[in-house]
Amino acid sequence: MADKKNSAIEEKKLTQYINDQQITNLIHFTPVANLESILQFGLIPRSLLEKKAIRIYMKPRFPGVHGPAGLRGAICLSISNSDHEVFSNICKNNPENLAVLIFCMEPILK
């Protein structure tokens, strides 16, 4: 029961923070070639995508950047506004087409 109560408290704190910071969207950059697997499996951390069995099955494409050091187990998202500097660097290092995925926060918070 305590876990459920703590979870509800954490959810309320997170919702309040998102509202206080006026976070409306989460944004993710990815090669267009990854869209089909993202639609099927969702966003997956790079640390898992680099595992041999997953690489063979999903054939993920990686942009030219690795994200922040030490966060290979995380999913990199920009908050509310796209990070134009990161996007520009990815485009320079990536001759392929990129997609920009925008996740609206409203349904996530319900």
Side-chain angles (χ1 to χ4, degrees):
M1 192 68 161
D3 286 339
K4 209 174 213 181
K5 184 177 179 182
N6 288 339
S7 178
I9 291 169
E10 290 301 315
E11 184 177 329
K12 188 173 183 176
K13 285 181 187 178
L14 178 60
T15 300
Q16 186 64 48
Y17 179 81
I18 289 168
N19 290 332
D20 290 348
Q21 298 299 314
Q22 298 178 353
I23 298 171
T24 56
N25 300 305
L26 298 175
I27 302 165
H28 181 72
F29 309 114
T30 189
V32 170
N34 292 339
L35 291 177
E36 186 176 335
S37 64
I38 289 172
L39 289 171
Q40 186 173 0
F41 301 108
L43 296 175
I44 299 173
R46 187 173 185 139
S47 60
L48 293 177
L49 292 172
E50 290 175 338
K51 293 187 180 294
K52 186 176 181 180
I54 293 174
R55 271 196 343 261
I56 290 170
Y57 179 73
M58 294 178 70
K59 299 174 183 61
R61 303 292 297 261
F62 300 110
V65 295
H66 296 284
L71 295 178
R72 295 176 80 73
I75 295 168
C76 294
L77 300 165
S78 294
I79 299 174
S80 289
N81 297 310
S82 62
D83 189 332
H84 297 289
E85 183 179 335
V86 170
F87 187 68
S88 178
N89 287 336
I90 291 171
C91 288
K92 285 179 193 173
N93 297 320
N94 250 332
E96 62 189 315
N97 292 327
L98 293 173
V100 178
L101 306 178
I102 301 173
F103 301 93
C104 179
M105 293 299 296
E106 189 176 337
I108 294 170
L109 296 174
K110 288 185 179 185

